[in-house]
Amino acid sequence: MDGGDSQGSVAAPAKKCSRTSLLDSGEDFEVLDEDDIDDDPPPLEDAGGGEGQNPREHRVNKEADPEEDSEEWLDVLGNEKLKKKVLVAGKGRDSRPQKGQDVTICLKIFLEDGTLVEEQPELKFTVGDGDVMQAVDLTVLLMELGEKALIQTAALYAYGTYGRCEQNVPPNAELSLEVELKEVRDAADLELLPPLEKFLLASGKRATGNAHYQRGDFAFAVNSYGIALQITDSSSKVDITPEEENELLDVKVKCLNNMAAAQLKLDHYEAAFKSCAAALAHQPDNIKALFRMGKVLALQGEYREAIQTLRKALKLEPSNKTIHAELSKLVKKHSEQRGAEQAMYKKMLGNPASSGTHKRWTNASWSLSWKWLFGATAVAIGGVALSVVLAARN
């Protein structure tokens, strides 16, 4: 499958939105070139199509109103939020695609008022890989080859609470989709895939993961990055040059870095640490992997190790403001933690200063007591001697 087509409806339009990015600005290294910042997912790529209302399609949607003949609609998930209706019958149940197979569909997306917001006549994706919106990924499993269906979906299985500004899809928008299943085929054997096609396929999955990350769907992002890693790690039965091998390795490290970023968002610290460690195993001086590993260690309370890791990253990029800021913050936290620990130990063991004063006072008291006792003894002995002398004279 062509990696450039694998992004589907998820990785859409390059047109910028006014909505603030979900990415932490602190993770976008200011000193790095913009083209090299792989952890800053790009905006959704333009999937084509046009805006405006299509009268014929608006009529189709009106005719397919579930309130008029609800018996023809299939409640896919049993929650009334995702429904499917057959417009043109297909070639039978045996022609339905299976998870992991590649399909080609014709997709049209409408708002509730019938406005056509997107059209893709040849959309290719792998079923179950999360390359397209959930509504399509779920319902295509119930479609037959050659079938044309109408799908009504809640925002939950479409573009969610953010909408899609590139196609003027508002937040929380319910959509109507017209889907035609045009082709079903088995996925390519990764071992027989030429290196360039494998690179494009893995890059497409990574782009899909970036799109999920940008929209805040971090679990889906982790899934897409994981699929990309399976592609890069797959063995090959075809010749591969050192340059092609390095290109695949570069994609792999970028996926590991981005996976760590998504795992941090999900508070999966152990998994994020392993992703960073795997990236550093291939590229020990990878600044982003060092930076994220430092953040993971800090979040786990391992300030000393975190500071050492960030110092290593800063040594590689002395002018990196992001690392400087993070390192300064951690040094301050570590200092405060050590101060709190010292105060706790003093409280547990008593006040050393007071103990020393008490000890000195006690020693001084004993010294005075012995001096007094010695003086009194001397006086007594002198008195006895004087008495003996007087008695002898008498």
Side-chain angles (χ1 to χ4, degrees):
M1 179 180 68
D2 186 357
D5 294 328
S6 66
Q7 299 170 35
S9 293
V10 173
K15 183 181 176 182
K16 294 201 173 183
C17 304
S18 60
R19 178 175 63 83
T20 303
S21 173
L22 293 169
L23 298 177
D24 290 338
S25 58
E27 292 182 6
D28 300 335
F29 295 161
E30 297 180 26
V31 297
L32 299 180
D33 294 335
E34 183 177 354
D35 293 337
D36 192 43
I37 301 177
D38 59 272
D39 63 335
D40 185 1
L44 303 178
E45 297 180 11
D46 192 353
E51 298 180 358
Q53 185 171 340
N54 185 318
R56 187 185 68 80
E57 300 299 341
H58 182 60
R59 178 177 56 80
V60 170
N61 284 318
K62 290 300 183 181
E63 292 176 354
D65 191 339
E67 295 181 358
E68 296 180 3
D69 52 4
S70 59
E71 69 278 359
E72 297 183 21
W73 287 85
L74 172 65
D75 188 356
V76 177
L77 300 175
N79 59 5
E80 298 291 326
K81 295 183 182 296
L82 182 60
K83 297 179 180 180
K84 170 182 173 289
K85 179 180 180 180
V86 177
L87 299 179
V88 178
K91 297 182 178 180
R93 295 176 64 91
D94 292 341
S95 65
R96 289 181 177 181
Q98 302 295 318
K99 185 176 180 180
Q101 286 188 306
D102 293 339
V103 299
T104 301
I105 66 171
C106 174
L107 174 67
K108 297 178 182 178
I109 303 177
F110 305 89
L111 297 179
E112 284 187 287
D113 63 2
T115 302
L116 176 66
V117 293
E118 184 176 345
E119 182 175 3
Q120 297 192 61
E122 296 283 334
L123 174 60
K124 299 178 181 180
F125 64 95
T126 303
V127 181
D129 277 10
D131 298 335
V132 292
M133 73 168 73
Q134 276 188 283
V136 175
D137 216 3
L138 291 170
T139 54
V140 76
L141 287 165
L142 303 175
M143 294 184 64
E144 302 170 0
L145 183 62
E147 177 183 330
K148 181 181 289 188
L150 191 64
I151 299 167
Q152 290 192 340
T153 177
L156 177 64
Y157 305 114
Y159 297 125
T161 57
Y162 297 105
R164 190 170 172 188
C165 58
E166 296 87 358
Q167 272 74 38
N168 293 320
V169 178
N172 299 308
E174 295 186 3
L175 300 176
S176 292
L177 317 174
E178 186 180 288
V179 181
E180 180 183 358
L181 181 57
K182 302 176 69 174
E183 184 182 5
V184 179
R185 60 196 179 281
D186 291 333
D189 187 341
L190 294 178
E191 292 185 343
L192 300 177
L193 209 60
L196 178 58
E197 292 186 28
K198 185 179 289 189
F199 169 81
L200 292 173
L201 184 60
S203 297
K205 300 297 183 182
R206 183 175 72 89
T208 299
N210 289 353
H212 284 307
Y213 185 98
Q214 190 180 33
R215 295 181 60 79
D217 296 327
F218 304 117
F220 284 105
V222 169
N223 180 67
S224 294
Y225 295 139
I227 295 172
L229 290 173
Q230 291 176 7
I231 297 170
T232 60
D233 289 339
S234 62
S235 58
S236 179
K237 293 181 179 179
V238 299
D239 293 334
I240 179 171
T241 65
E243 292 77 12
E244 292 170 333
E245 192 170 359
N246 287 333
E247 288 178 348
L248 284 172
L249 180 61
D250 184 60
V251 174
K252 178 179 180 178
V253 172
K254 287 180 178 180
C255 286
L256 287 168
N257 269 333
N258 290 359
M259 179 178 279
Q263 289 163 336
L264 274 171
K265 294 291 187 181
L266 295 169
D267 296 334
H268 296 169
Y269 301 143
E270 290 296 332
F273 182 88
K274 290 179 181 178
S275 297
C276 293
L280 292 171
H282 295 291
Q283 297 179 1
D285 292 338
N286 188 286
I287 298 173
K288 292 177 183 177
L290 288 169
F291 177 76
R292 288 207 173 88
M293 178 173 279
K295 291 190 70 172
V296 171
L297 290 168
L299 289 167
Q300 292 177 320
E302 304 291 342
Y303 293 124
R304 181 178 299 176
E305 292 80 359
I307 290 172
Q308 291 175 350
T309 303
L310 289 178
R311 281 176 176 167
K312 183 177 180 180
L314 191 61
K315 188 176 180 181
L316 296 169
E317 285 283 356
S319 60
N320 193 305
K321 296 180 181 180
T322 303
I323 301 177
H324 266 294
E326 189 70 20
L327 185 57
S328 299
K329 182 174 66 176
L330 287 184
V331 169
K332 182 179 179 181
K333 282 186 177 180
H334 186 45
S335 177
E336 292 174 351
Q337 183 189 52
R338 292 179 62 185
E341 289 176 352
Q342 290 176 355
M344 181 182 68
Y345 292 149
K346 287 180 181 180
K347 187 175 181 180
M348 291 173 60
L349 302 176
N351 192 325
S354 300
S355 299
T357 303
H358 178 69
K359 184 176 181 180
R360 288 193 298 272
W361 182 85
T362 302
N363 292 338
S365 299
W366 275 104
S367 178
L368 290 173
S369 299
W370 278 109
K371 290 179 180 179
W372 180 86
L373 181 61
F374 180 78
T377 303
V379 171
I381 293 174
V384 172
L386 182 61
S387 298
V388 172
V389 171
L390 292 175
R393 288 181 178 179
N394 291 332

